[in-house]
Amino acid sequence: MNTTSFVPEPPSRATLLADVPKAAKELMSLSHYKWRRQLQRVPEGDGHPIVTVPGFGGADGSMASLRRFLKRAGYDAHPWELGRNLVTQRVTTMDEILEFCAMREGELARRVEQIADRTGEKVSLIGWSMGGVYCNSLAQTHPELVRQVVTLGAPVGDPRGTSTWNILKKMNRSEVPEELQNVDGWLHRKNSQGERKVRTTILYSPNDGAVSRSAAVIENDDLVENIEVDSSHVGFSHNPLVYWVIADRLSQDPYAWQHFDLSMQPRKIQEHFNLL
């Protein structure tokens, strides 16, 4: 695989700096009575199990609000219960990043398998940022366990399209650290897991301060749907519009799947999408 022909740009510095203030507004919107009332109208859940997977540096508390929403909507929502999603040692090579991801994916697979065995049902996975990378990979390696995947601002594509890439370079005190240049190997190992068998919904945002569209989407795959929403990166886990789309996707019958149809959504939802 040759990645030299196109190197994605990470989000701009202005978008990165605006991320946290935007997230604060999203949190306030979630608690506003108009959105609370709107979110009471999401499609009723069928009770199937869901696991939420936090982003890099996050723990289960970062997605607690989303799980409460999903339980109220009628789903059996679970935390991942694997502690903080954080590598403790200094990362200097792509192989170290891959090793950390593989370790976390293995732990997540065991957690999902336990829930699937206990409930007798496949599990839907919702992964935020790096958590979405694990979910995407797990669906490829263990499709027998996974009903569907929803990723929230997850860098499932080229890591050079993320703000983290520049942070890694600075951490390693080099403009172009040779140890972090094996992107071809990274992408090949991520994309060599065979034909996709699990429905995947990718939520990405033009206002994401950490992950650009080029790093977040998967193109030309019939089982993948890329949906653009207005969200900060930090705010994906408590953005009311994101909640609505998640509930809509989780309500889909795996055997009669329908793509997200904005024209079938309430006017308030359509208005928010039309602002993009």
Side-chain angles (χ1 to χ4, degrees):
M1 180 183 296
N2 181 10
T3 63
T4 57
S5 59
F6 172 71
V7 178
E9 289 290 329
S12 68
R13 181 178 177 83
T15 305
L16 176 61
L17 292 175
D19 204 88
V20 173
K22 181 171 177 58
K25 292 181 180 179
E26 290 159 353
L27 178 59
M28 289 188 289
S29 295
L30 185 61
S31 61
H32 194 279
Y33 79 94
K34 289 185 178 179
W35 265 114
R36 291 203 309 269
R37 186 171 58 185
Q38 184 69 53
L39 291 176
Q40 291 173 356
R41 302 170 182 169
V42 297
E44 183 177 356
D46 61 2
H48 80 264
I50 298 167
V51 172
T52 61
V53 184
F56 185 75
D60 281 323
S62 65
M63 302 185 79
S65 176
L66 176 58
R67 287 193 302 277
R68 288 193 294 269
F69 164 72
L70 294 173
K71 288 178 180 178
R72 289 195 299 269
Y75 296 99
D76 181 21
H78 300 262
W80 82 330
E81 292 189 349
L82 297 175
R84 191 165 297 281
N85 186 12
L86 184 66
V87 58
T88 55
Q89 72 273 17
R90 184 184 174 202
V91 173
T92 59
T93 70
M94 292 300 295
D95 282 342
E96 288 174 350
I97 297 174
L98 286 167
E99 289 170 6
F100 174 74
C101 290
M103 177 191 71
R104 281 310 204 186
E105 288 165 15
E107 294 170 340
L108 178 60
R110 290 188 287 275
R111 169 71 170 149
V112 171
E113 185 176 21
Q114 291 171 354
I115 294 173
D117 287 345
R118 186 167 66 247
T119 63
E121 296 186 76
K122 288 185 176 183
V123 181
S124 288
L125 304 177
I126 302 176
W128 179 19
S129 194
M130 183 60 80
V133 175
Y134 307 155
C135 295
N136 180 61
S137 180
L138 181 61
Q140 293 292 89
T141 56
H142 295 282
E144 74 282 359
L145 299 176
V146 183
R147 172 167 166 159
Q148 70 164 297
V149 170
V150 180
T151 67
L152 311 177
V156 294
D158 193 321
R160 292 171 295 185
T162 67
S163 298
T164 307
W165 182 256
N166 289 331
I167 293 171
L168 282 172
K169 291 196 296 185
K170 291 178 181 179
M171 285 174 60
N172 288 276
R173 304 182 183 88
S174 172
E175 282 299 315
V176 187
E178 294 182 4
E179 296 88 349
L180 290 172
Q181 291 307 302
N182 187 22
V183 181
D184 282 347
W186 161 275
L187 292 174
H188 176 72
R189 288 171 66 175
K190 286 177 66 177
N191 296 317
S192 61
Q193 297 168 321
E195 182 181 354
R196 186 175 298 274
K197 299 180 177 66
V198 176
R199 290 279 181 183
T200 301
T201 300
I202 290 175
L203 301 189
Y204 70 94
S205 171
N207 298 310
D208 188 325
V211 180
S212 67
R213 181 191 185 281
S214 58
V217 303
I218 298 174
E219 304 281 14
N220 304 317
D221 193 311
D222 291 340
L223 291 182
V224 177
E225 184 172 15
N226 301 300
I227 301 177
E228 183 179 273
V229 296
D230 182 13
S231 179
S232 64
H233 189 76
V234 175
F236 266 111
S237 67
H238 52 260
N239 181 307
L241 182 60
V242 169
Y243 281 24
W244 180 275
V245 178
I246 289 174
D248 179 89
R249 297 295 83 201
L250 291 174
S251 70
Q252 292 297 303
D253 182 343
Y255 303 103
W257 190 273
Q258 299 292 322
H259 285 288
F260 185 76
D261 186 348
L262 184 58
S263 68
M264 300 298 292
Q265 308 304 319
R267 185 177 64 181
K268 184 177 180 66
I269 304 300
Q270 293 186 38
E271 288 173 351
H272 277 78
F273 272 95
N274 289 335
L275 292 174
L276 292 172

